[in-house]
C-alpha cells in the first residue's frame, strides 16, 4: 500500500493538482470570453497565449501548494482544513500569477479572468482532493483483511 508520506503518492497528488490548475485556467478563460455572463468589450485574446502560460501557472500553483502545506499528510485529514487550504492556495496562486504577468509583458491576464481563475481553481482543487480521498478510502476498504469466521460447535 502506498503511504501518504511516500514519494509516489505526493507526486501523484502534485499531478492531480497541476491538472486541476490547467483545467481551472481554461474554464476561467471560457467563462470570461464566451460572452455570457460577461460582455467582451476589448476583443478576445488568443487561447494559445493562455495555454503557453499554463506551465508557469502550474509551477506557481505548486509553489503555493507547498506554502499552503497541502502536501503534508496531516493536512489531508479534514475536509474543512482542505477547503481552507485550497482557498488560501488559490488566492496565493492568483497573486503570484498577477505578479509574474507584470514581469513578462508579452502576456497579460484579463483581471476578470484572473479573478474567475482564483474561484474556479479553489473549487476544482477541492474537488480533486475529494476524489483522491474517495479513491484512497475505497482502496483501504478493499484491502482490509476479512475476519475469520468461527464456528461454534
Amino acid at each position: 500500500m502506498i503511504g501518504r508520506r511516500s514519494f509516489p503518492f505526493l507526486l501523484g497528488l502534485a499531478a492531480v493538482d497541476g491538472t486541476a490548475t490547467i483545467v481551472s485556467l481554461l474554464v476561467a478563460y471560457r467563462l470570461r470570453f464566451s460572452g455570457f455572463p460577461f460582455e467582451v468589450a476589448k476583443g478576445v485574446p488568443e487561447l494559445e497565449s493562455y495555454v503557453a502560460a499554463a506551465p508557469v501557472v502550474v509551477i506557481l500553483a505548486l509553489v503555493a501548494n507547498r506554502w499552503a502545506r497541502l502536501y503534508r499528510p496531516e493536512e489531508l485529514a479534514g475536509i474543512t482544513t482542505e477547503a481552507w487550504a485550497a482557498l488560501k492556495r488559490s488566492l496565493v496562486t492568483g497573486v503570484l500569477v498577477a505578479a509574474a504577468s507584470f514581469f513578462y509583458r508579452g502576456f497579460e491576464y484579463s483581471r476578470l479572468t484572473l479573478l474567475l481563475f482564483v474561484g474556479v481553481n479553489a473549487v476544482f482543487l477541492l474537488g480533486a482532493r475529494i476524489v483522491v480521498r474517495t479513491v484512497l478510502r475505497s482502496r483501504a476498504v478493499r484491502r482490509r483483511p476479512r475476519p475469520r469466521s468461527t464456528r461454534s460447535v
Side-chain angles (χ1 to χ4, degrees):
M1 181 171 160
I2 296 177
R4 287 186 180 180
R5 293 180 187 253
S6 71
F7 182 73
F9 173 75
L10 294 177
L11 190 61
L13 200 55
V16 167
D17 291 345
T19 302
T21 300
I22 290 172
V23 171
S24 298
L25 182 64
L26 297 177
V27 167
Y29 174 87
R30 181 72 178 152
L31 283 173
R32 170 62 183 101
F33 297 111
S34 65
F36 177 81
F38 309 105
E39 187 176 321
V40 179
K42 295 182 181 179
V44 178
E46 295 292 324
L47 177 63
E48 289 78 22
S49 63
Y50 280 78
V51 171
V56 174
V57 174
V58 168
I59 290 169
L60 293 173
L62 293 176
V63 167
N65 282 356
R66 180 87 167 120
W67 175 80
R69 298 179 174 208
L70 290 181
Y71 298 126
R72 299 183 122 205
E74 54 272 7
E75 295 298 328
L76 297 174
I79 192 74
T80 306
T81 304
E82 284 188 29
W84 175 247
L87 180 61
K88 187 168 57 169
R89 174 263 193 183
S90 295
L91 289 170
V92 170
T93 301
V95 168
L96 290 175
V97 169
S101 70
F102 286 117
F103 290 110
Y104 180 60
R105 282 298 187 198
F107 174 75
E108 292 182 16
Y109 279 102
S110 156
R111 289 176 297 218
L112 185 55
T113 304
L114 187 59
L115 185 62
L116 288 169
F117 168 71
V118 168
V120 170
N121 197 21
V123 171
F124 280 18
L125 179 65
L126 184 59
R129 292 299 179 107
I130 290 171
V131 168
V132 167
R133 176 195 307 264
T134 305
V135 168
L136 286 175
R137 284 190 179 153
S138 70
R139 288 183 67 204
V141 167
R142 278 188 261 150
R143 290 183 180 218
R144 285 187 187 153
R146 295 183 182 163
R148 293 183 181 182
S149 63
T150 56
R151 291 188 204 177
S152 51
V153 179

